Amino acid sequence: MADIDASQSSSHSHSSHDGAGNAGAPSSPAGLHDAPFRATDTPGTAGIAGATDAADATNGADTAASRAQGQRDQEPETGITPGGTRGAFRDILSKDHARRGKPPVHVTDLDEDGRIALAKSIGLPKFRVSQLAQHYYAHFETDVENFTDFPAAARAEAHQAFFPDLIDEELVQTADGGTTRKTLWRLFDDARIESVLMKYPSRITLCISSQVGCGMGCPFCATGQLGLTRNLSCGEILEQVRIASKQSEDGVFGEPGRLSNVVFMGMGEPMGNYRSVISAIRQISAQPPHGFGISARNITVSTVGIVPGIRKLIDEHIPVRLAVSLHAPSDELRDRLVPMNKRFNTTQVLDAAHDYFLASHRRVSIEYALMRGINDQPEHARLLARRINHYGDDWAHVNPIPLNPIEGSPWTASKPEDEAEFLDILHRAGITATLRDTRGSDIDGACGQLAARHVADQVMGTAARRAGTDA
């Protein structure tokens, strides 16, 4: 495992003031050296590190798969920084956290050597690996029984070994005249995740999940109320992309199209599942037979502000867009809205985001959910403008987002006139800002609402059964 220490120096110097007129916290606060954020780079284009050695292939398919599984088990990531289970974040882990098994090993979880070893273990020559990969990445196909260019006698075993079922469609909701499709997926362990496929005039965008639940605990977020159950495997992430690609190609929106954009803005904190997310990004952006061929420039990775993860992403040199969920211009307010701010404050987060801009030459998106009377007043807009303009270059694009309220939550959307004034203040300060086009307002649109409803239904069902038993 490679340590990522939050004490890494920035790629340039920052003023000692945070743009709000106050002395900013240093980029490397004392104490973080004792709790480094750990993540592992993923060598190669096609999968996780340390694939099964080909010499062990003769031990059978189970051996190849179990060794690959063992690689993932070496040090599971938790979605929160080390120390979180002992401090302010321990209560936002769900009761099932780290108590579930691992999903079946999928072809996308393996690098090239691991795939070859797996093929040999079931008696297939090396060239069949590329053949299977071409079907998967170029044609979005996993039903080996229909691969007419594949030996019939080997199809069933190859399907089981390379393409185990990872996600099953449980519910689909449509909105916006059929141009938004929100899907609830059931996983091998009966967990639920969501993805949203959206058709725009010039593109088709997929919003995907990276974790089951989320450990960040933001009080206005439906997913945050679920707690973190577990990370998704690379295969579980990429299956969301493959199925959406196939649906787009088959004309789910009325005519054949191509999935062009992928955003990691669904359930979970992508930086908390770094290994799987970075492997998925490489496979989304690589050309077939190594990936789906979606440009890295059309991939967005959102984070609540895990600073070591942002700095690790800088070192990847992949031109994805970074989106930072800021939601507040001051530490005092953000401490209430985003609990992780108590570990990485606004100055550290903005410093790291600006460094990403300097390294990638890609403007950073600042996500800002507008909440009535909480963070949507003129003083908040003016402070946000000062914080961003502090860096002196056109480095950020602000996306004020009308809040999609969750049922029973005290957090509500801003008034339209307050949204307009907020945007106007940013524009007059010279900041590029666009009010986010919200989708799915007439369904369970906020991320995590479908999964939260499923959990609630389970609880109610259990309560009803108990009541019936007691009666």
Side-chain angles (χ1 to χ4, degrees):
M1 301 290 287
D3 288 354
I4 310 173
D5 199 322
S7 64
Q8 285 177 283
S9 61
S10 300
S11 61
H12 76 297
S13 298
H14 294 292
S15 167
S16 61
H17 291 271
D18 63 4
N22 302 316
S27 295
S28 308
L32 290 180
H33 296 276
D34 299 327
F37 178 90
R38 299 181 68 87
T40 295
D41 192 1
T42 305
T45 301
I48 64 173
T52 309
D53 194 306
D56 293 320
T58 55
N59 293 332
D62 290 342
T63 301
S66 63
R67 288 193 58 178
Q69 186 71 72
Q71 295 156 6
R72 288 208 308 242
D73 291 340
Q74 287 176 4
E75 182 155 350
E77 294 169 306
T78 65
I80 59 175
T81 55
T85 54
R86 300 186 300 275
F89 307 104
R90 67 176 182 270
D91 292 332
I92 58 180
L93 294 173
S94 78
K95 63 182 178 61
D96 293 324
H97 173 67
R99 291 186 175 89
R100 296 172 183 256
K102 294 286 186 178
V105 176
H106 190 268
V107 63
T108 56
D109 294 317
L110 301 170
D111 66 6
E112 189 67 14
D113 289 341
R115 295 174 185 182
I116 292 171
L118 183 58
K120 285 186 176 182
S121 72
I122 58 175
L124 293 177
K126 177 179 178 179
F127 78 90
R128 294 296 185 190
V129 171
S130 295
Q131 200 172 21
L132 291 169
Q134 183 70 18
H135 278 283
Y136 185 83
Y137 293 114
H139 304 292
F140 319 123
E141 298 170 343
T142 59
D143 188 357
V144 186
E145 289 292 343
N146 293 328
F147 294 178
T148 57
D149 58 351
F150 207 83
R155 291 176 188 174
E157 192 171 15
H159 178 92
Q160 183 177 6
F162 284 86
F163 303 124
D165 293 334
L166 296 181
I167 66 175
D168 292 311
E169 182 182 291
E170 182 165 288
L171 176 67
V172 176
Q173 293 183 335
T174 60
D176 307 307
T179 60
T180 299
R181 292 175 54 87
K182 185 168 189 174
T183 304
L184 180 69
W185 303 99
R186 180 171 54 84
L187 310 183
F188 84 100
D189 56 355
D190 209 38
R192 303 300 193 277
I193 59 170
E194 301 170 13
S195 65
V196 184
L197 188 61
M198 296 162 283
K199 175 71 167 66
Y200 294 92
S202 60
R203 68 185 188 278
I204 297 177
T205 297
L206 176 67
C207 178
I208 59 176
S209 295
S210 58
Q211 294 179 317
V212 180
C214 182
M216 298 298 102
C218 300
F220 57 88
C221 174
T223 306
Q225 305 316 297
L226 296 173
L228 174 66
T229 296
R230 67 171 175 87
N231 284 326
L232 297 183
S233 67
C234 181
E236 289 171 319
I237 295 172
L238 288 175
E239 276 292 271
Q240 298 172 69
V241 179
R242 180 192 66 83
I243 295 172
S245 297
K246 181 63 173 173
Q247 290 175 337
S248 300
E249 183 179 74
D250 290 347
V252 71
F253 293 117
E255 58 183 12
R258 182 179 185 274
L259 180 63
S260 57
N261 295 68
V262 176
V263 296
F264 284 82
M265 292 183 172
M267 296 174 64
E269 164 56 55
M271 297 299 183
N273 188 15
Y274 192 91
R275 285 192 305 258
S276 293
V277 166
I278 200 66
S279 178
I281 288 171
R282 293 187 186 280
Q283 294 180 69
I284 292 169
S285 58
Q287 293 299 314
H290 304 293
F292 294 116
I294 297 172
S295 171
R297 299 183 69 83
N298 290 347
I299 300 172
T300 299
V301 179
S302 177
T303 177
V304 77
I306 308 298
V307 170
I310 296 173
R311 299 204 177 282
K312 177 66 175 173
L313 190 60
I314 291 173
D315 294 336
E316 301 288 352
H317 304 292
I318 305 173
V320 298
R321 183 176 298 281
L322 175 68
V324 174
S325 298
L326 193 65
H327 304 313
S330 68
D331 287 323
E332 180 181 9
L333 179 56
R334 196 168 190 261
D335 281 350
R336 292 171 49 203
L337 301 180
V338 182
M340 187 56 71
N341 196 68
K342 296 170 185 175
R343 291 183 72 82
F344 304 111
N345 65 31
T346 56
T347 298
Q348 296 167 264
V349 171
L350 291 172
D351 280 359
H354 185 248
D355 286 346
Y356 187 87
F357 162 77
L358 292 177
S360 66
H361 307 291
R362 300 215 64 194
R363 187 183 287 170
V364 174
S365 293
I366 302 296
E367 310 296 300
Y368 195 101
L370 291 168
M371 295 167 243
R372 183 177 300 187
I374 304 295
N375 66 349
D376 64 347
Q377 296 305 297
E379 60 267 26
H380 300 125
R382 286 191 287 268
L383 180 55
L384 178 62
R386 288 200 299 272
R387 299 298 302 273
I388 291 174
N389 283 335
H390 161 68
Y391 297 91
D393 45 26
D394 186 23
W395 69 280
H397 183 288
V398 178
N399 283 317
I401 306 167
L403 184 70
N404 202 337
I406 57 178
E407 186 176 349
S409 169
W411 312 90
T412 59
S414 300
K415 299 175 182 178
E417 57 268 29
D418 289 340
E419 293 175 355
E421 185 176 11
F422 195 96
L423 202 62
D424 183 60
I425 290 171
L426 294 179
H427 287 161
R428 285 190 277 111
I431 292 173
T432 304
T434 307
L435 192 67
R436 173 72 64 81
D437 172 29
T438 56
R439 290 291 190 104
S441 58
D442 54 337
I443 56 176
D444 292 316
C447 180
Q449 282 192 357
L450 277 179
R453 188 176 298 277
H454 167 76
V455 171
D457 289 346
Q458 282 187 320
V459 171
M460 292 299 291
T462 300
R465 287 192 297 273
R466 286 176 178 171
T469 301
D470 294 340

